[in-house]
Amino acid sequence: MTSKTFVVITGLALLSGCGSPDVDVEAEEKHLMDLSREWSAVAAGDDVEDLMSYWSDDAVMMAPGQPPLRGKEAIREFVTSTGEIPGFSISWEPLEAHVAESGDMGYMIEQNQITIPDSTGDLVTQYNKVITVWEKREDGSWKNVVDMWNSDPSREK
């Protein structure tokens, strides 16, 4: 094989690998929006394991005022402890989803509401802005890999 032939074959091989797979980005974004709403409904229940199934094993949660929680076990401990707080509730709504052209990564901008008792025991609701990062697995499922939120003063009532 001549060096010119090698260069042509190598170039064609590289180009054929550069094309992105046929990904319906819009459908994947809608799927993520639906998945987030489904996850919020699960969070209103008592099934911690069902709730945990939306995070990847190596997920990172970054809650306000807390060090990052790395991995499902640390997140499970956090979720379990917050679930034991009398009056605690959480819900959220996705506002927009964005999926990479490759179809394997996405992120969402969301908002959540967390209700907890204050120092006197009265229930107060915190309004937050949220960013979540999602990864599509080989089996076609999406898993949350980063979950981060902080206060959204513009929504406080």
Side-chain angles (χ1 to χ4, degrees):
M1 175 184 316
T2 68
S3 62
K4 184 176 180 180
T5 304
F6 177 77
V7 169
V8 169
I9 291 172
T10 302
L12 289 173
L14 288 173
L15 285 175
S16 68
C18 291
S20 62
D22 290 332
V23 174
D24 186 340
V25 171
E26 195 172 304
E28 291 294 344
E29 290 171 346
K30 180 185 180 318
H31 179 70
L32 278 179
M33 297 284 283
D34 292 342
L35 188 62
S36 178
R37 290 183 184 105
E38 174 187 298
W39 193 17
S40 180
V42 169
D46 294 329
D47 190 339
V48 172
E49 289 313 307
D50 196 14
L51 183 64
M52 295 304 302
S53 71
Y54 291 82
W55 278 291
S56 68
D57 290 340
D58 60 348
V60 177
M61 177 188 280
M62 292 187 270
Q66 302 291 320
L69 300 174
R70 296 185 178 278
K72 261 189 175 176
E73 289 310 310
I75 295 170
R76 180 182 283 106
E77 287 177 26
F78 178 82
V79 166
T80 301
S81 67
T82 57
E84 294 170 352
I85 299 170
F88 172 85
S89 69
I90 184 170
S91 64
W92 60 88
E93 178 66 24
L95 302 174
E96 54 189 82
H98 303 273
V99 171
E101 292 294 321
S102 61
D104 60 348
M105 292 291 293
Y107 71 91
M108 283 193 281
I109 297 172
E110 303 174 273
Q111 56 188 19
N112 74 21
Q113 300 79 232
I114 299 173
T115 300
I116 56 172
D118 66 11
S119 61
T120 66
D122 292 332
L123 293 178
V124 294
T125 300
Q126 301 171 345
Y127 298 92
N128 300 293
K129 52 192 183 290
V130 181
I131 183 96
T132 56
V133 180
W134 296 76
E135 183 177 69
K136 191 168 190 181
R137 301 303 165 123
E138 286 185 20
D139 67 1
S141 66
W142 285 94
K143 296 293 181 182
N144 178 270
V145 294
V146 177
D147 190 351
M148 180 177 180
W149 69 95
N150 62 20
S151 178
D152 184 357
S154 70
R155 292 181 56 224
E156 291 180 10
K157 297 177 181 175

